[in-house]
Amino acid sequence: MQPRSNRLQQMIQWVVDIFYPPSCMTCGAAIAATDGICPACWRQFPFITRPYCERYGTPLPFDHGGMSFSPLAVADPPVFDRARAVARYDGVARELVRQLKYNDHPELAAPMGQWMVREGAELLSSAQLLVPIPLHRFRLWRRRFNQATVLANEIGRRTSIAIGHETLLRVKATRPQVGLTRKERAANLEKAFSVNPSEISRVAGARIVLIDDVMTTASTGNAAARALLKAGALSVDLLVFALVAKDA
Ligand SMILES: [Zn+2]
């Protein structure tokens, strides 16, 4: 005989399934279990696998064995140590990010966070603090929640790593990054972040992993990492769900 709370949970699930049958998180096709994607979407999922650039996390065309670096990482290394992403920001992965960000589907953060824990295992194993990249207050109000925060909550829940919700402050209203050149993006984001004075003791000497949903260029991660390193962080890595992969 099952405990009462389990039976109650099952009953609730039946009712939910009748009114909201489980559907694929990206295309809406009917599937067997909740929190999943259908086999067709799964096959198209643009997972990033090795070889990828050790610094930027971007996929590389050839495996040279050992540590690999993209030409960009050699010519223009990032401020953060290492970036890792679950997927290329494309197709099914892009749709998941869009659903999480704009369509009020915070429940997607659970499977997305789970994938990030797996892909970011190397970064997370030595991390002492997770810091979600904050949105500017105006954009937070429009979107109602910060997708970086909900992903950080999921990762923190699964790894027991502390989360610095108030660690980084966005100090300047930045223009949307869309349509700006690389140089313009960097200038737009210069001094965009500062470390909350009350959090400095937490940041000093800590190994930190920044969390965000998407890395478009490295400029946001660089600006956030610069602020944390200035405040005495020992190391800063960046873990995102998806990255815009340019030809390496
Ligand atoms: Zn699907």
Side-chain angles (χ1 to χ4, degrees), residues 177 181-191 217 219 223 226:
Q177 295 286 75
T181 66
R182 198 179 152 75
K183 229 175 173 171
E184 285 169 337
R185 280 168 189 271
N188 189 26
L189 280 160
E190 192 109 2
K191 300 185 191 125
T217 67
S219 50
R226 196 173 288 123

Side-chain angles (χ1 to χ4, degrees), residues 24 26-29 38 41:
C24 170
T26 57
C27 77
C38 73
C41 286

Side-chain angles (χ1 to χ4, degrees), residues 81 126-131 167 195 199-209 225 227-237:
D81 289 335
S126 59
Q128 291 149 330
L129 188 63
L130 304 174
V131 174
T167 301
V195 172
E199 294 272 301
I200 285 183
S201 60
R202 230 178 164 192
V203 168
R207 293 186 181 279
I208 296 174
V209 177
L228 291 166
L229 290 168
K230 226 173 91 184
L234 188 63
S235 67
V236 181
D237 291 316

Side-chain angles (χ1 to χ4, degrees), residues 25-26 95-105 108:
M25 294 190 298
T26 57
E95 183 57 24
L96 279 181
V97 170
R98 213 180 57 79
Q99 296 269 357
L100 176 70
K101 193 182 289 200
Y102 298 109
N103 289 10
D104 291 325
H105 282 295
L108 293 182

